[in-house]
Amino acid sequence: MANKNKIKVLIVEDETSISNFISTTLKSNGYTTIVSPNGKDALSMIPSHCPDIILLDLGLPDMDGMEILKELRKWSGIPVIIVSARSDEQEKVMALDAGADDYITKPFGTSELLARIRTALRHSAGNGNTQSDTFSVKELFIDFGKRRVTVGEKEVHLTQIEFKIVSLLAKSQGRVLTYDHIISELWGPYAVKDNQILRVNMANIRRKIEQNPAEPQYIFTEVGVGYRMVDE
């Protein structure tokens, strides 16, 4: 990841009190910030200011933030974190499926915001690199080439589909993958979007890799949205 002092964050937010809070928080943590109070200005500022990451509100005065996201994704892969008061699960699913890297619901804590930004930037930095042959977080270790999974010193025996689910989440570490996205990646774009088969597989995975499946430490559920592999 680039030096934090060189990381530029575009904050697209029409509520001055919120944009000031976010900007002050980020600046105190070494980031450079620019602010746009509306969608039209934001779209013109992106190519001219070249931000490293965008914090995007959905409820803007001139256009919906989803329009900005969809337009941006036609030509740019800049990481985008939705920062919105809309807590509806379907809104989150739509934003993530449209290309958002993450979604934070207002109100949020400073630590959570900073952690989400670090995760999005790490994921973005990794997109240009060759995918690693292995993955590890805490005691979970995955060797993609050998299709081998271990937790601590114990080897975990996953079915083919279970391994594919774990691998997909690991390769998008820290990001929420929607149910539909996972199903499309594993069973194809025309597969029936039936979350039940995914939930059954996830229950089996958790029994195998989690010390307490009821309190997972590796794969988290974003209720009504999808799953996320722990970042650190």
Side-chain angles (χ1 to χ4, degrees):
M1 189 188 302
N3 185 295
K4 190 185 293 184
N5 291 322
K6 296 181 180 179
I7 292 175
K8 185 183 298 182
V9 183
L10 170 58
I11 303 165
V12 187
E13 170 63 62
D14 64 313
E15 293 188 38
T16 305
S17 59
I18 296 177
S19 62
N20 286 345
F21 166 73
I22 295 175
S23 183
T24 299
T25 297
L26 295 183
K27 286 179 179 177
S28 67
N29 282 273
Y31 294 93
T32 298
T33 66
I34 49 177
V35 178
S36 172
N38 59 66
K40 181 179 179 181
D41 288 348
L43 286 173
S44 65
M45 291 171 73
I46 293 168
S48 60
H49 289 271
C50 299
D52 296 288
I53 187 168
I54 299 170
L55 303 182
L56 176 63
D57 182 28
L58 293 181
L60 298 170
D62 60 336
M63 60 195 302
D64 192 280
M66 284 293 293
E67 296 179 51
I68 298 174
L69 178 61
K70 291 176 180 178
E71 181 63 30
L72 178 65
R73 283 297 175 255
K74 293 178 182 179
W75 54 273
S76 175
I78 297 171
V80 175
I81 298 177
I82 301 297
V83 182
S84 176
R86 301 178 190 175
S87 59
D88 181 70
E89 291 169 357
Q90 191 56 36
E91 291 273 6
K92 295 180 182 180
V93 171
M94 289 174 59
L96 292 166
D97 281 343
D101 293 78
D102 207 341
Y103 194 116
I104 304 178
T105 304
K106 300 174 185 175
F108 52 85
T110 298
S111 297
E112 179 185 11
L113 176 64
L114 294 172
R116 299 293 185 96
I117 290 174
R118 290 194 298 270
T119 296
L121 288 169
R122 271 198 296 272
H123 185 268
S124 176
N127 282 343
N129 300 331
T130 300
Q131 179 67 52
S132 173
D133 291 331
T134 62
F135 167 88
S136 64
V137 62
K138 299 183 180 180
E139 294 191 322
L140 176 65
F141 178 83
I142 305 172
D143 187 317
F144 298 115
K146 296 180 180 179
R147 303 180 66 83
R148 184 169 181 262
V149 177
T150 57
V151 177
E153 300 297 320
K154 179 184 177 182
E155 183 164 0
V156 178
H157 298 285
L158 300 178
T159 66
Q160 182 177 6
I161 197 66
E162 289 167 0
F163 181 81
K164 287 182 178 180
I165 293 171
V166 173
S167 297
L168 182 64
L169 289 165
K171 291 175 180 178
S172 297
Q173 182 183 20
R175 294 187 64 191
V176 179
L177 300 187
T178 65
Y179 300 128
D180 285 358
H181 175 80
I182 296 172
I183 291 170
S184 294
E185 287 291 317
L186 270 57
W187 287 282
Y190 301 108
V192 176
K193 301 300 189 291
D194 180 4
N195 296 344
Q196 185 57 34
I197 188 172
L198 190 56
R199 291 192 177 100
V200 169
N201 278 283
M202 184 56 66
N204 291 333
I205 290 168
R206 283 180 168 147
R207 279 196 291 270
K208 295 176 181 180
I209 71 171
E210 301 284 3
Q211 184 175 359
N212 180 0
E215 297 180 1
Q217 59 176 322
Y218 294 114
I219 299 176
F220 300 121
T221 300
E222 298 287 341
V223 179
V225 180
Y227 298 108
R228 171 174 58 87
M229 177 68 76
V230 65
D231 182 43
E232 56 187 28

